[in-house]
Amino acid sequence: MNVLVTGGLGFIGSHTVIALHQAGYTPVIIDNLSNSSEAVLTQLSKITGHSFEFYRGCIGDDALMQQILTDHNIEGVFHFAALKAVGESTEQPLAYYRNNVSNTVAMLETMAKCGVERIVFSSSATVYGDPQYLPLDEKHPISSTNPYGWTKVMVERVLQDYCAANEKMLAIALRYFNPVGAHPSGELGESPKGIPNNLMPYIAQTAVGIREYLNIFGDDYDTHDGTGVRDYIHVQDLVSGHVAAFDVHVKDSGFHAYNLGTGQGYSVLDMVKAFSSSAQTEIAYKICPRRDGDVASNYADASKARQILNWHAKHDLKSMTDDTWRWQTNYPKGLE
Ligand code: NAD
Ligand code: UD1
């Protein structure tokens, strides 16, 4: 089956392209390269021995998308393309609503014209807003604390309403917890442009000497060591969750939401310690004030995905830090 991967040269999309190929699908990629590099295509070929069809362009470009969907007989869309920086979304909300919401609506209209009735959407645990209870299950109330998060809430709403109005439409929203790690080959990983916002790439850049020290945002939370606790999930587990969800629901319709997390929380200091052990080096850090918008703890109840998709995360913390370190040492500045 031919499928389109939007944002397929980005961090999670590129790993999913490999998994889809290995599962027997034929993925075609569209990416506007706003947060990725065409060099990822070479890495994908290196890892799989296969060259993938790639279109440089925007998912909101109706003519281009019609051409791709019809020329390649696309039967499903894995939709990763989005802007994803929380802080930037507060400064430039319109750019986020246009790219993440308006362009997704435009893409759904093009899909409707071409008879494509399946979508897997990259949602986020950010749709749970400030946790009212832990672990977070899919029934937790939906909310957000920033424009990026609201774009995920809005697209989920659009997908639910669209499925309700179109009995053949299938939409699967996968709510990721904290994706980390890299491809075990060391040839593909996350290469954020500029200063990383997220913990794992920041630690990796500190370990390799690009950053002097890690700022730890608060050590006075109500957690086992005072630093924030999150549910880190290896990108390879995340992508196997996409394949499992699509395989299970491919003949279904309606809206389905799943948490993709491990259910296990680790603190910032746990992550520093695990990374130090993988990199065999001390990671310098300073304790700083709390970051606005952060909560003490956040982790998943992933039992719905286990029961219905027969999926669970298999990679432990050591493989998350080992794989990130291998990628970071191979490509300290990312792919250029
Ligand atoms: P990423 O930035 O590495 O990948 C997104 C890709 O989409 C980039 O290659 C970018 O160039 C492309 N893109 C953006 N807008 C586009 C457009 N209009 N048309 C075509 N291409 C476009 O991000 P990622 O970490 O791989 O995240 C993938 C998805 O998962 C995003 O939707 C993100 O919001 C979601 N998500 C990510 C995380 C995370 O921590 N990485 C957590 C939860 C959810
Ligand atoms: C952040 C976003 C979330 C988004 C997710 C994935 C915020 C408030 N939340 O989640 O919406 O879905 O990224 O992109 O931005 N930390 C440090 N020092 C650092 C970086 C992080 O101590 O330099 C700490 C944080 O305080 C937190 C933990 O590390 O306790 C994880 O942070 P991060 O990787 O940014 O993820 P989240 O905040 O969980």
Side-chain angles (χ1 to χ4, degrees):
M1 185 187 285
N2 298 349
V3 294
L4 180 65
V5 182
T6 77
L9 297 188
F11 172 42
I12 303 166
S14 59
H15 289 78
T16 308
V17 166
I18 297 172
L20 286 167
H21 169 73
Q22 288 168 345
Y25 293 96
T26 304
V28 174
I29 300 169
I30 180 168
D31 202 302
N32 66 3
L33 304 183
S34 59
N35 196 36
S36 53
S37 147
E38 211 164 335
V40 171
L41 270 181
T42 312
Q43 303 305 100
L44 292 176
S45 300
K46 213 172 177 179
I47 294 167
T48 62
H50 180 85
S51 52
F52 297 94
E53 291 278 354
F54 167 61
Y55 293 84
R56 179 176 186 171
C58 175
I59 55 158
D61 180 340
D62 179 58
L64 174 65
M65 287 292 285
Q66 279 202 55
Q67 182 203 331
I68 300 171
L69 296 178
T70 50
D71 284 1
H72 292 280
N73 245 325
I74 297 293
E75 294 188 65
V77 174
F78 288 76
H79 180 33
F80 297 93
L83 298 173
K84 63 163 187 176
V86 173
E88 185 184 69
S89 79
T90 307
E91 289 149 24
Q92 304 171 32
L94 298 185
Y96 275 69
Y97 289 117
R98 170 172 288 279
N99 196 50
N100 295 7
V101 183
S102 307
N103 280 334
T104 299
V105 173
M107 182 180 79
L108 287 166
E109 287 173 337
T110 312
M111 286 168 62
K113 281 187 211 164
C114 300
V116 181
E117 290 166 328
R118 297 181 185 99
I119 185 166
V120 179
F121 171 59
S122 296
S123 190
S124 167
T126 190
V127 302
Y128 298 123
D130 281 334
Q132 293 176 15
Y133 58 83
L134 290 170
L136 291 159
D137 59 24
E138 290 84 351
K139 296 193 184 94
H140 186 282
I142 298 300
S143 179
S144 195
T145 54
N146 56 72
Y148 164 74
W150 282 115
T151 70
K152 296 295 176 191
V153 172
M154 285 177 191
V155 171
E156 283 205 11
R157 184 74 246 168
V158 167
L159 293 173
Q160 283 176 61
D161 290 344
Y162 185 39
C163 286
N166 175 351
E167 61 180 20
K168 286 194 184 158
M169 186 70 195
L170 168 70
I172 306 168
L174 299 178
R175 297 173 180 161
Y176 312 160
F177 279 70
N178 289 57
V180 296
H183 195 269
S185 63
E187 297 296 330
L188 198 59
E190 187 176 13
S191 42
K193 291 187 174 163
I195 301 171
N197 298 305
N198 295 118
L199 179 66
M200 188 67 134
Y202 206 109
I203 293 180
Q205 292 193 2
T206 308
V208 86
I210 296 173
R211 312 268 158 221
E212 203 181 333
Y213 55 86
L214 168 74
N215 296 302
I216 295 186
F217 301 139
D219 68 348
D220 56 352
Y221 285 107
D222 184 15
T223 60
H224 64 272
D225 60 19
T227 65
V229 166
R230 298 290 183 273
D231 185 341
Y232 298 93
I233 175 168
H234 197 297
V235 65
Q236 292 293 88
D237 281 327
L238 205 60
V239 303
S240 73
H242 287 69
V243 178
F246 197 69
D247 282 347
V248 166
H249 285 295
V250 72
K251 296 214 163 72
D252 295 338
S253 59
F255 177 83
H256 309 265
Y258 294 95
N259 285 342
L260 294 184
T262 65
Q264 165 79 52
Y266 289 106
S267 72
V268 177
L269 286 170
D270 291 335
M271 298 305 284
V272 169
K273 199 170 152 203
F275 209 97
S276 291
S277 160
S278 296
Q280 292 292 300
T281 181
E282 284 295 307
I283 291 160
Y285 63 81
K286 283 189 185 168
I287 305 294
C288 308
R290 293 180 178 193
R291 182 172 69 179
D292 276 353
D294 276 353
V295 295
S297 297
N298 188 337
Y299 50 91
D301 174 342
S303 53
K304 185 180 175 193
R306 187 186 273 268
Q307 280 156 19
I308 301 177
L309 306 180
N310 194 24
W311 169 92
H312 67 277
K314 295 184 176 135
H315 292 74
D316 61 9
L317 183 55
K318 182 173 168 6
S319 65
M320 298 184 210
T321 53
D322 281 355
D323 290 341
T324 304
W325 179 237
R326 192 176 304 111
W327 154 252
Q328 185 70 49
T329 42
N330 282 351
Y331 298 93
K333 293 183 181 158
L335 297 171
E336 285 162 312

